[in-house]
Amino acid sequence: TRRRRSANAGMNSTSPTPNDNKLAQQTPARPPLKSLDDALLELLANASPLTSVEDVLLQLADGRVLGNDVVAQLDVPGFDNSSVDGYALNIADTSTALREGLPQSARIPAGHFSGNLVGGTVARIFTGAPIPVNANAVVMQEDCLVSPQPAGDVVRLTQAPTPGQNIRLRGEDIANGQVVVRKGTRLTPAHLGLLASIGQAHVSVLKPLRVALLSTGDELVMPGAVAADALPPGAIFSSNGFFLSTLLTRLGAHVTELAIVADTLADTQAALQHAANDHDLIVSTGGVSVGEEDHVKPAVQSLGSLDLWALAIKPGKPFAYGRINRLNAASCAHFVGLPGNPVSSFVTFVVLVRPFIDRLLGVSHAGVHALPMTAHFDWPKPDKRREFLRVKRNTLGGLDLYPNQSSGVLTSVSWADGFVDNPPSQSISRGDTVSFWPMSQCIA
Ligand code: AMP
Ligand code: MG
């Protein structure tokens, strides 16, 4: 048995027998598993932020990363204005307004300016219209009794207004000179609206990261290449490239999806070398274990350098980071090798590639804010590795677990609306508080 043989080898350490040598070749020592936190630190240390920026129209800037601080050149709102349709007055006139009413002396729609409010009168005013000088409150029209008179409307109030009521103050949203959106912010629809509110028609954003995506495996067939009922024996449709290219695009990358790479060293080398020349980052899936059919490791090593890690996470154990030298250039492309199993490649993308890309683009506040949630399931046999369980929020405010947590079952991810980040060897009982990563944060 293995145990007895290794004891023999120890006793015989000065002159190993041929048999011992053969054994050592067959079962190389397994490297210790690397924690996700360590892997992330090491990976991010390789990502120096890119600096090339370009100007884009504001309406095309969703998801892009802002290249400089944007400073307001005006106050927003730019003037005190009414937040309701109603009547503007000076509260010094309140008692008359309550007793006999005040005559209407002006009408101010949004977009129009009226100078002074005549003392002892009200101005008809609409939402967004400038408050006239001398007015200091607006009463909504529902709280006014309006009687038409030959000389014009007279407006009586049903209750006393408070100073400043229904007035939106100049600069209460944004002050002139204030930084409105910081460099390194990934722009969202709300940011675009905010930038428009200070008059920006275009913004300076980081140039898109150029990413080449390649799927390795002799068994892979592109959807559409053959009909589902004509798939050859042993073949499967390639799925990883579809979610990865979408996830990358959402992060602001320009993705080139390369043809499926066959499981030979030469094909793998050729695809990688070609991709390195005009991409910042190459992401591959599959072939990253250390089996005879796994050619990614030797291919990357022959073209640059590679670290192959066994991560202490499940799913997603094998992961590679490397660099591939560009032909005729003293520069290189980053390389990231993800596992082939679809769930593993999804999870490693979320936990490692996404932060790596954010660092390359100089995105400041990356990271998932985990939520404490209640497990509505049992997980009695945890793994020794940190697990990312596919779960979904239920209507009772707890989390349900997808029944099949296999790393090949992509349905678990499409069904899920998040992951439970479960510490190593931690069993879960119904009712326990667990750490929930909302899917929206993982893929945004
Ligand atoms: P590998 O990491 O190459 O050993 O692949 C592990 C498992 O993932 C195998 O079952 C592969 O068939 C599967 N796999 C690899 N690449 C893909 C892909 N692009 N789409 C779907 N499954 C894949
Ligand atoms: Mg493979």
Side-chain angles (χ1 to χ4, degrees):
T1 66
R2 189 184 291 190
R3 189 179 292 162
R4 204 169 321 126
R5 276 199 217 165
S6 68
N8 279 346
M11 279 153 52
N12 234 346
S13 58
T14 47
S15 56
T17 63
N19 214 5
D20 289 328
N21 272 340
K22 201 167 156 216
L23 183 76
Q25 275 168 16
Q26 279 167 356
T27 54
R30 282 204 195 163
L33 299 186
K34 191 185 276 294
S35 78
L36 179 57
D37 292 342
D38 287 350
L40 189 58
L41 278 179
E42 222 174 290
L43 186 65
L44 294 185
N46 285 294
S48 3
L50 303 172
T51 50
S52 309
V53 292
E54 63 186 8
D55 248 34
V56 297
L57 278 176
L58 190 60
Q59 43 273 69
L60 300 180
D62 182 35
R64 303 294 297 273
V65 178
L66 197 60
N68 58 332
D69 288 352
V70 177
V71 177
Q73 309 292 331
L74 80 175
D75 291 324
V76 179
F79 46 89
D80 295 352
N81 69 95
S82 178
S83 64
V84 296
D85 290 344
Y87 294 87
L89 76 161
N90 191 304
I91 55 165
D93 296 324
T94 300
S95 52
T96 319
L98 287 168
R99 247 182 304 115
E100 62 231 41
L102 300 171
Q104 177 187 322
S105 61
R107 187 172 186 280
I108 319 169
H112 295 262
F113 179 71
S114 115
N116 278 335
L117 178 68
V118 178
T121 72
V122 297
R124 178 75 171 119
I125 195 165
F126 298 89
T127 305
I131 303 294
V133 181
N134 294 334
N136 55 14
V138 176
V139 180
M140 59 198 292
Q141 59 196 24
E142 290 82 349
D143 296 332
C144 297
L145 299 168
V146 181
S147 22
Q149 303 286 324
D153 287 352
V154 170
V155 178
R156 198 154 67 78
L157 307 186
T158 55
Q159 50 184 298
T162 54
Q165 140 183 328
N166 295 324
I167 295 177
R168 302 190 284 216
L169 294 176
R170 172 178 181 160
E172 76 173 31
D173 184 356
I174 298 165
N176 192 345
Q178 179 187 330
V179 175
V180 175
V181 189
R182 294 217 171 266
K183 174 180 176 173
T185 302
R186 195 184 291 288
L187 298 174
T188 64
H191 290 124
L192 303 193
L194 194 63
L195 291 166
S197 79
I198 59 163
Q200 295 275 145
H202 40 85
V203 279
S204 169
V205 293
L206 270 284
K207 283 199 175 151
L209 195 70
R210 299 163 306 162
V211 182
L213 190 54
L214 52 100
S215 304
T216 71
D218 283 350
E219 73 280 30
L220 302 179
V221 173
M222 276 304 268
V226 298
D229 58 5
L231 205 55
I236 63 170
F237 286 120
S238 177
S239 54
N240 295 346
F242 288 82
F243 60 76
L244 289 173
S245 70
T246 312
L247 290 166
L248 286 161
T249 305
R250 287 192 182 188
L251 292 176
H254 269 185
V255 181
T256 315
E257 202 170 345
L258 303 179
I260 288 167
V261 181
D263 283 323
T264 72
L265 182 60
D267 283 358
T268 312
Q269 283 170 322
L272 291 169
Q273 183 67 80
H274 171 74
N277 291 336
D278 42 15
H279 293 92
D280 306 301
L281 168 65
I282 302 169
V283 177
S284 76
T285 69
V288 83
S289 311
V290 282
E292 290 151 42
E293 297 294 336
D294 295 315
H295 301 287
V296 168
K297 182 183 181 201
V300 178
Q301 280 169 335
S302 71
L303 303 171
S305 58
L306 182 92
D307 286 321
L308 185 60
W309 299 334
L311 300 176
I313 61 170
K314 188 181 179 188
K317 191 160 119 189
F319 182 91
Y321 170 77
R323 286 167 188 237
I324 296 176
N325 299 320
R326 297 189 174 117
L327 284 179
N328 311 321
S331 63
C332 52
H334 296 282
F335 169 81
V336 166
L338 307 184
N341 274 310
V343 184
S344 309
S345 65
F346 196 102
V347 168
T348 46
F349 184 91
V350 166
V351 298
L352 288 168
V353 182
R354 191 187 116 115
F356 183 71
I357 288 178
D358 277 346
R359 178 65 61 91
L360 284 178
L361 291 173
V363 174
S364 28
H365 50 83
V368 171
H369 298 289
L371 306 175
M373 296 270 303
T374 306
H376 284 186
F377 60 87
D378 293 309
W379 187 245
K381 290 189 184 131
D383 198 87
K384 287 201 189 72
R385 295 175 269 159
R386 178 174 171 182
E387 293 171 300
F388 289 91
L389 306 172
R390 277 76 71 208
V391 295
K392 183 150 85 175
R393 280 174 280 209
N394 59 33
T395 52
L396 303 171
L399 295 175
D400 293 333
L401 181 76
Y402 192 75
N404 188 341
Q405 293 284 323
S406 156
S407 62
V409 174
L410 199 47
T411 309
S412 67
V413 184
S414 69
W415 175 89
D417 68 359
F419 300 95
V420 163
D421 173 8
N422 194 43
S425 304
Q426 175 88 58
S427 63
I428 299 171
S429 303
R430 185 174 288 265
D432 286 353
T433 299
V434 293
S435 171
F436 176 67
W437 291 25
M439 186 69 80
S440 55
Q441 284 195 34
C442 296
I443 66 177

